[in-house]
Amino acid sequence: TSGAAPLGDLAGRRVVVSAGGTRERLDPVRFLGNRSSGRQGYALARAAAARGAEVTLVAANVTLPDPAGVKVVAVESTAELRDAVLSASVDADAVVMAAAPADFRPLSTSETKIKKADDGSAPSIVLQQNPDILKEISTHRSRPDAVIVGFAAETGDHTGSVLDLARAKLARKGCDLLVVNDVSGGAVFGSTDNEALILGADGSSTEVPHGSKSALAHRIWDLVAVRLAGRS
Ligand code: CTP
Ligand code: CA
């Protein structure tokens, strides 16, 4: 189960959740994408609705059923995700970026199907960076009192530990909370369960033990609700 959720503590709050993985078109039949299932974002949307919030769920290529009582906006690319999140966020109390936006898109998209050559050669794909939505909504806040939450799946590397990298990412993004999954041991994508560390811009750190995505969703909303209560 999700544990004790203070039902109604998000009543009157407008929240935006993004979920899924974006796709960047190469030609009419091909795209660059990732394996994000959207399950954590959908669990967040369901949990917020259960606690009384008015929820907009921006869903990128998710095949799960729409959660009841939630406004779902379907998008494909990172550019579409950005437009939908920015417009839904204008008067939002909280924004949670659980989606996995593609970091890069092809410099050009072919109007016609890319054909293969007889000589065995292959085309090169030139990429350009996509806009960073989380950084944008965190640094140009339409509401200074909104609570903005990011996600990060990290593995430690030669530049630092998971915690070092996560703290640096939180600072770089400028969000209020960063939900960190340590994926050093293997993939979390597509799994039912999750465990996480939730870092706050205020220096706080909350460990969430292994459990369901719904349980993690409720712990995230607990932290958001505390921050909202302290602000208004
Ligand atoms: N994010 C975003 N826009 C992007 C990329 C990521 O809003 N173009 C958000 C994700 O939804 C997530 C957070 O930023 O909440 C962190 O995503 P992550 O991929 O870990 O961060 P990046 O800045 O893309 O760094 P990395 O090079 O580690 O992928
Ligand atoms: Ca990324």
Short mmCIF file of all heavy atoms in Angstrom, two decimals, residues 182-217:
data_model
loop_
_atom_site.label_atom_id
_atom_site.label_comp_id
_atom_site.label_asym_id
_atom_site.label_seq_id
_atom_site.Cartn_x
_atom_site.Cartn_y
_atom_site.Cartn_z
N ASP A 182 19.45 5.69 -7.66
CA ASP A 182 20.78 5.16 -7.92
C ASP A 182 20.60 3.95 -8.84
O ASP A 182 20.08 2.92 -8.43
CB ASP A 182 21.43 4.75 -6.59
CG ASP A 182 22.84 4.21 -6.78
OD1 ASP A 182 23.23 3.89 -7.92
OD2 ASP A 182 23.56 4.11 -5.77
N VAL A 183 21.02 4.09 -10.09
CA VAL A 183 20.82 3.00 -11.05
C VAL A 183 22.13 2.25 -11.35
O VAL A 183 22.23 1.54 -12.34
CB VAL A 183 20.17 3.50 -12.37
CG1 VAL A 183 18.74 3.92 -12.12
CG2 VAL A 183 20.96 4.65 -12.98
N SER A 184 23.09 2.42 -10.44
CA SER A 184 24.39 1.75 -10.64
C SER A 184 24.23 0.24 -10.74
O SER A 184 24.93 -0.41 -11.52
CB SER A 184 25.34 2.05 -9.47
OG SER A 184 25.42 3.44 -9.25
N GLY A 185 23.32 -0.32 -9.94
CA GLY A 185 23.18 -1.77 -9.89
C GLY A 185 22.41 -2.38 -11.05
O GLY A 185 22.39 -3.58 -11.21
N GLY A 186 21.75 -1.58 -11.86
CA GLY A 186 20.96 -2.12 -12.96
C GLY A 186 19.82 -1.18 -13.31
O GLY A 186 19.65 -0.15 -12.67
N ALA A 187 19.05 -1.55 -14.28
CA ALA A 187 18.02 -0.64 -14.79
C ALA A 187 16.81 -0.57 -13.87
O ALA A 187 16.40 -1.55 -13.28
CB ALA A 187 17.59 -1.09 -16.17
N VAL A 188 16.24 0.63 -13.74
CA VAL A 188 14.98 0.82 -13.02
C VAL A 188 13.84 0.92 -14.02
O VAL A 188 12.68 0.65 -13.72
CB VAL A 188 15.06 2.11 -12.15
CG1 VAL A 188 13.70 2.45 -11.55
CG2 VAL A 188 16.06 1.92 -11.03
N PHE A 189 14.21 1.24 -15.26
CA PHE A 189 13.19 1.43 -16.30
C PHE A 189 12.24 0.24 -16.40
O PHE A 189 12.66 -0.90 -16.51
CB PHE A 189 13.86 1.62 -17.67
CG PHE A 189 14.45 2.98 -17.85
CD1 PHE A 189 15.76 3.12 -18.25
CD2 PHE A 189 13.70 4.11 -17.60
CE1 PHE A 189 16.31 4.38 -18.42
CE2 PHE A 189 14.24 5.37 -17.76
CZ PHE A 189 15.55 5.51 -18.17
N GLY A 190 10.96 0.53 -16.36
CA GLY A 190 9.96 -0.51 -16.56
C GLY A 190 9.67 -1.35 -15.34
O GLY A 190 8.76 -2.15 -15.35
N SER A 191 10.41 -1.15 -14.26
CA SER A 191 10.15 -1.97 -13.08
C SER A 191 8.99 -1.41 -12.29
O SER A 191 8.65 -0.23 -12.40
CB SER A 191 11.40 -2.06 -12.20
OG SER A 191 11.53 -0.89 -11.43
N THR A 192 8.37 -2.25 -11.49
CA THR A 192 7.19 -1.82 -10.73
C THR A 192 7.60 -1.03 -9.49
O THR A 192 6.90 -0.12 -9.09
CB THR A 192 6.39 -3.05 -10.27
OG1 THR A 192 6.68 -4.12 -11.15
CG2 THR A 192 4.92 -2.76 -10.26
N ASP A 193 8.72 -1.41 -8.90
CA ASP A 193 9.12 -0.78 -7.65
C ASP A 193 10.23 0.24 -7.86
O ASP A 193 10.81 0.34 -8.92
CB ASP A 193 9.57 -1.84 -6.66
CG ASP A 193 8.38 -2.58 -6.08
OD1 ASP A 193 7.26 -2.25 -6.48
OD2 ASP A 193 8.58 -3.46 -5.25
N ASN A 194 10.52 0.96 -6.80
CA ASN A 194 11.45 2.06 -6.89
C ASN A 194 12.02 2.31 -5.50
O ASN A 194 11.38 2.02 -4.51
CB ASN A 194 10.68 3.31 -7.34
CG ASN A 194 11.43 4.05 -8.41
OD1 ASN A 194 12.62 3.83 -8.59
ND2 ASN A 194 10.74 4.92 -9.10
N GLU A 195 13.22 2.84 -5.41
CA GLU A 195 13.68 3.38 -4.14
C GLU A 195 14.44 4.64 -4.48
O GLU A 195 14.96 4.77 -5.59
CB GLU A 195 14.50 2.39 -3.36
CG GLU A 195 15.81 2.00 -3.99
CD GLU A 195 16.55 1.01 -3.10
OE1 GLU A 195 16.71 1.29 -1.90
OE2 GLU A 195 16.98 -0.02 -3.64
N ALA A 196 14.47 5.57 -3.55
CA ALA A 196 15.00 6.88 -3.92
C ALA A 196 15.50 7.66 -2.72
O ALA A 196 15.21 7.35 -1.57
CB ALA A 196 13.91 7.67 -4.62
N LEU A 197 16.26 8.70 -3.07
CA LEU A 197 16.71 9.69 -2.11
C LEU A 197 16.14 11.00 -2.63
O LEU A 197 16.30 11.32 -3.82
CB LEU A 197 18.24 9.72 -2.12
CG LEU A 197 18.92 10.59 -1.10
CD1 LEU A 197 18.67 10.07 0.31
CD2 LEU A 197 20.43 10.63 -1.37
N ILE A 198 15.47 11.76 -1.77
CA ILE A 198 14.89 13.02 -2.23
C ILE A 198 15.69 14.17 -1.60
O ILE A 198 15.69 14.35 -0.38
CB ILE A 198 13.40 13.15 -1.85
CG1 ILE A 198 12.63 11.91 -2.31
CG2 ILE A 198 12.80 14.42 -2.46
CD1 ILE A 198 11.16 11.87 -1.87
N LEU A 199 16.41 14.90 -2.45
CA LEU A 199 17.25 16.00 -1.98
C LEU A 199 16.49 17.31 -2.08
O LEU A 199 15.79 17.55 -3.08
CB LEU A 199 18.52 16.09 -2.83
CG LEU A 199 19.42 14.85 -2.85
CD1 LEU A 199 20.63 15.12 -3.75
CD2 LEU A 199 19.87 14.48 -1.43
N GLY A 200 16.64 18.17 -1.07
CA GLY A 200 16.01 19.48 -1.09
C GLY A 200 17.04 20.57 -1.32
O GLY A 200 18.18 20.44 -0.89
N ALA A 201 16.61 21.65 -2.00
CA ALA A 201 17.50 22.80 -2.21
C ALA A 201 17.88 23.43 -0.87
O ALA A 201 18.88 24.14 -0.78
CB ALA A 201 16.81 23.82 -3.11
N ASP A 202 17.08 23.16 0.17
CA ASP A 202 17.36 23.67 1.51
C ASP A 202 18.38 22.80 2.24
O ASP A 202 18.65 23.02 3.42
CB ASP A 202 16.05 23.73 2.32
CG ASP A 202 15.33 22.38 2.39
OD1 ASP A 202 15.89 21.37 1.90
OD2 ASP A 202 14.21 22.32 2.93
N GLY A 203 18.96 21.82 1.55
CA GLY A 203 19.98 20.96 2.16
C GLY A 203 19.43 19.68 2.75
O GLY A 203 20.18 18.80 3.17
N SER A 204 18.09 19.54 2.76
CA SER A 204 17.47 18.35 3.34
C SER A 204 17.69 17.12 2.46
O SER A 204 17.99 17.24 1.27
CB SER A 204 15.97 18.58 3.54
OG SER A 204 15.34 18.69 2.27
N SER A 205 17.53 15.97 3.06
CA SER A 205 17.70 14.72 2.33
C SER A 205 16.80 13.68 2.97
O SER A 205 16.83 13.47 4.18
CB SER A 205 19.18 14.35 2.39
OG SER A 205 19.37 12.98 2.37
N THR A 206 15.92 13.08 2.17
CA THR A 206 14.94 12.13 2.68
C THR A 206 15.11 10.81 1.96
O THR A 206 15.01 10.75 0.74
CB THR A 206 13.51 12.65 2.43
OG1 THR A 206 13.39 13.97 2.95
CG2 THR A 206 12.46 11.76 3.07
N GLU A 207 15.38 9.75 2.72
CA GLU A 207 15.52 8.44 2.11
C GLU A 207 14.16 7.77 2.02
O GLU A 207 13.41 7.74 2.99
CB GLU A 207 16.43 7.56 2.97
CG GLU A 207 17.86 7.51 2.47
CD GLU A 207 18.69 6.56 3.30
OE1 GLU A 207 18.43 5.34 3.23
OE2 GLU A 207 19.59 7.05 4.02
N VAL A 208 13.84 7.24 0.86
CA VAL A 208 12.60 6.48 0.70
C VAL A 208 12.99 5.04 0.43
O VAL A 208 13.63 4.75 -0.58
CB VAL A 208 11.74 7.04 -0.46
CG1 VAL A 208 10.42 6.28 -0.55
CG2 VAL A 208 11.47 8.53 -0.27
N PRO A 209 12.65 4.13 1.35
CA PRO A 209 13.06 2.74 1.18
C PRO A 209 12.36 2.09 0.00
O PRO A 209 11.36 2.60 -0.50
CB PRO A 209 12.64 2.08 2.50
CG PRO A 209 11.58 2.96 3.05
CD PRO A 209 11.86 4.35 2.57
N HIS A 210 12.91 0.95 -0.40
CA HIS A 210 12.33 0.18 -1.51
C HIS A 210 10.83 -0.01 -1.30
O HIS A 210 10.39 -0.40 -0.23
CB HIS A 210 13.03 -1.17 -1.56
CG HIS A 210 12.71 -1.95 -2.77
ND1 HIS A 210 13.27 -1.66 -4.00
CD2 HIS A 210 11.86 -2.99 -2.97
CE1 HIS A 210 12.80 -2.51 -4.89
NE2 HIS A 210 11.94 -3.32 -4.30
N GLY A 211 10.05 0.33 -2.30
CA GLY A 211 8.60 0.18 -2.18
C GLY A 211 7.95 0.47 -3.52
O GLY A 211 8.64 0.56 -4.53
N SER A 212 6.64 0.62 -3.51
CA SER A 212 5.93 0.83 -4.76
C SER A 212 6.14 2.25 -5.29
O SER A 212 6.54 3.15 -4.56
CB SER A 212 4.44 0.59 -4.55
OG SER A 212 3.91 1.60 -3.70
N LYS A 213 5.83 2.44 -6.57
CA LYS A 213 5.91 3.78 -7.16
C LYS A 213 4.85 4.68 -6.54
O LYS A 213 5.03 5.89 -6.42
CB LYS A 213 5.76 3.69 -8.68
CG LYS A 213 7.01 3.07 -9.33
CD LYS A 213 6.98 3.09 -10.83
CE LYS A 213 8.07 2.21 -11.44
NZ LYS A 213 9.37 2.86 -11.61
N SER A 214 3.74 4.08 -6.12
CA SER A 214 2.69 4.84 -5.43
C SER A 214 3.20 5.35 -4.08
O SER A 214 2.96 6.51 -3.70
CB SER A 214 1.46 3.96 -5.25
OG SER A 214 0.54 4.58 -4.38
N ALA A 215 3.91 4.50 -3.34
CA ALA A 215 4.46 4.91 -2.04
C ALA A 215 5.46 6.05 -2.24
O ALA A 215 5.43 7.04 -1.50
CB ALA A 215 5.13 3.72 -1.34
N LEU A 216 6.33 5.92 -3.24
CA LEU A 216 7.29 7.00 -3.51
C LEU A 216 6.55 8.28 -3.90
O LEU A 216 6.89 9.38 -3.45
CB LEU A 216 8.27 6.58 -4.62
CG LEU A 216 9.26 7.67 -5.07
CD1 LEU A 216 10.09 8.21 -3.92
CD2 LEU A 216 10.17 7.13 -6.19
N ALA A 217 5.50 8.14 -4.72
CA ALA A 217 4.71 9.31 -5.13
C ALA A 217 4.17 10.03 -3.90
O ALA A 217 4.25 11.26 -3.80
CB ALA A 217 3.56 8.86 -6.04
#
